[in-house]
């Protein structure tokens, strides 16, 4: 969906440049130059955009539910690790970029969803995604959010990233996380409490063409992901008036469970051992969160998370 909207926005910009109103395009380019750093400086959210009625229907379509398991004090800053990525990370968008129940469940906290910096290079589209509360996933951006002295900021990072989207098959529980420790280092440097978040149903929204590791398709996808920075999963779901084929996600309930915070003491220069220890603790808490709630959302008892 974001890709489609981005393409439309870029197309509109090209049309504007080639039209009699080309000077407006030039003015926007000047604005883009002056405003280039904003996605790394907290963005420019709009509660009006986040409260559009269309997002209410978007959340109700699946539906999307946010589940609280513990209080998060606004006196601290938090780094929320969202799992799994799925094909489009619909749960992350629905819960943290629209007028969801987040503000009611966690009063005093402002969520910032970090996404790939490339999205902010698209004319016009960047203005919308910043209005929704999205910011760059760069180190500078995460540091800016977590450096809020008064607390009350929550960086939301989809830990598995683009690589994990290639594992987004119905029933799949494989998370790309063993080598991803940058978020741990950021939490330590800023003393941000870590919070595991798991979205049950995220991998059920689309069916993806079989791409087991080692297959020709997976090899091509992985090479393209390294070149372009984002993955290209081949997926389908339902259509507007039929359920056999299309790009509209299936109506699968999404239950996003926010776990208990892991207290983190600030350490400006954490050692490799300290990073490894906190990473191991995070994995333990994430697995515990999944095991405690999987029965509520139709996950068979014998199935568990796979870390790779």
């Amino acid at each position: 969906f974001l890709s489609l909207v981005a393409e439309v926005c870029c197309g509109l910009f090209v049309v504007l440049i080639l039209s009699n109103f080309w000077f407006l395009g030039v003015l926007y380019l000047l604005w883009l130059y002056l405003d280039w750093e904003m996605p790394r400086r907290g963005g420019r959210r709009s509660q009006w955009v986040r409260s559009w009625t269309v997002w209410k229907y978007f959340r109700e379509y699946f539906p999307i539910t946010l589940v609280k398991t513990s209080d998060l004090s606004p006196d601290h800053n938090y780094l929320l690790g969202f799992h799994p990525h799925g094909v489009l990370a619909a749960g992350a968008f629905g819960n943290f970029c629209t007028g969801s129940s987040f503000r009611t469940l966690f009063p005093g906290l402002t969520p910032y969803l970090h996404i790939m910096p490339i999205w902010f290079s698209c004319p016009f589209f960047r203005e919308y995604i910043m209005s929704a509360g999205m910011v760059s996933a760069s180190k500078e951006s995460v540091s800016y959010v977590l450096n809020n002295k008064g607390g009350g900021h929550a960086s939301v990072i989809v830990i598995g990233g683009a690589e994990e989207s290639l594992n987004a098959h119905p029933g799949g529980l494989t998370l790309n996380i063993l080598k991803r420790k940058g978020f741990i280092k950021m939490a330590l440097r800023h003393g941000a409490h870590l919070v595991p978040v798991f979205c049950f149903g995220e991998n059920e929204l689309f069916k993806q063409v079989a791409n087991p590791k080692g297959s020709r398709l997976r090899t091509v996808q992985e090479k393209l992901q390294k070149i372009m920075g984002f993955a290209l999963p081949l997926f389908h779901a339902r259509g507007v008036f039929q359920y056999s084929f299309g790009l509209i996600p299936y109506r699968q309930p999404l239950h996003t469970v926010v776990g208990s915070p892991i207290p983190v003491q600030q350490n400006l220069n954490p050692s490799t051992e300290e990073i490894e220890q906190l990473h191991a603790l995070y994995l333990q808490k994430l697995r515990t969160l999944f095991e405690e709630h999987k029965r509520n959302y139709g996950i068979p008892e014998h199935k568990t998370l796979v870390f790779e």
Side-chain angles (χ1 to χ4, degrees), residues 10-252:
C10 289
L12 289 175
F13 179 73
V14 171
V15 171
L16 182 63
I17 287 291
L18 298 178
S19 71
N20 292 331
F21 299 97
W22 58 268
F23 60 92
L24 294 177
V26 173
L27 287 176
Y28 182 79
L29 285 177
L30 176 60
W31 163 257
L32 195 63
Y33 172 77
L34 296 174
D35 195 57
W36 191 254
E37 294 297 319
M38 186 57 67
R40 292 190 284 269
R41 295 183 177 276
R44 188 170 40 249
R45 70 179 54 225
S46 165
Q47 195 55 43
W48 175 69
V49 172
R50 290 168 59 87
S51 301
W52 281 351
T53 302
V54 65
W55 302 134
K56 174 178 178 290
Y57 293 124
F58 173 81
R59 295 191 303 273
E60 292 177 351
Y61 170 80
F62 296 99
I64 294 176
T65 305
L66 189 64
V67 181
K68 174 182 177 179
T69 64
S70 177
D71 289 331
L72 299 181
S73 171
D75 295 332
H76 302 288
N77 293 317
Y78 299 88
L79 196 158
L80 278 60
F82 185 93
H83 312 270
H85 184 287
V87 171
L88 298 179
F93 174 80
N95 284 298
F96 304 113
C97 296
T98 70
S100 69
S101 59
F102 185 89
R103 295 179 68 184
T104 302
L105 294 177
F106 303 103
L109 281 187
T110 302
Y112 295 81
L113 179 60
H114 296 270
I115 64 174
M116 294 175 58
I118 191 174
W119 292 113
F120 297 97
S121 62
C122 180
F124 302 132
F125 181 67
R126 70 188 294 274
E127 316 305 334
Y128 159 67
I129 55 180
M130 280 198 289
S131 296
M134 290 180 248
V135 292
S136 172
S138 66
K139 292 180 181 179
E140 296 84 356
S141 176
V142 177
S143 291
Y144 186 91
V145 173
L146 296 181
N147 201 36
N148 188 42
K149 300 302 182 183
H153 280 190
S155 279
V156 183
I157 302 177
V158 184
I159 304 299
E163 182 182 1
E164 192 173 275
S165 67
L166 300 178
N167 290 328
H169 295 273
L173 294 171
T174 300
L175 305 181
N176 292 71
I177 192 172
L178 292 182
K179 296 181 180 179
R180 296 180 180 269
K181 300 172 185 176
F183 73 103
I184 298 292
K185 193 172 184 178
M186 294 300 291
L188 282 166
R189 283 182 172 177
H190 295 279
H193 295 353
L194 280 167
V195 183
V197 179
F198 195 89
C199 185
F200 292 89
E202 185 71 54
N203 282 343
E204 321 304 317
L205 301 184
F206 298 93
K207 292 180 180 178
Q208 189 173 170
V209 176
N211 60 342
K213 285 187 176 294
S215 66
R216 182 173 300 178
L217 174 59
R218 184 61 169 258
T219 300
V220 171
Q221 288 176 319
E222 290 174 345
K223 288 183 178 180
L224 288 175
Q225 189 256 322
K226 290 180 180 179
I227 295 172
M228 300 184 298
F230 56 90
L232 292 173
L234 299 179
F235 62 90
H236 69 88
R238 54 162 292 184
V240 178
F241 301 110
Q242 42 77 29
Y243 290 83
S244 57
F245 188 81
L247 296 179
I248 298 176
Y250 293 115
R251 297 194 70 177
Q252 168 66 41

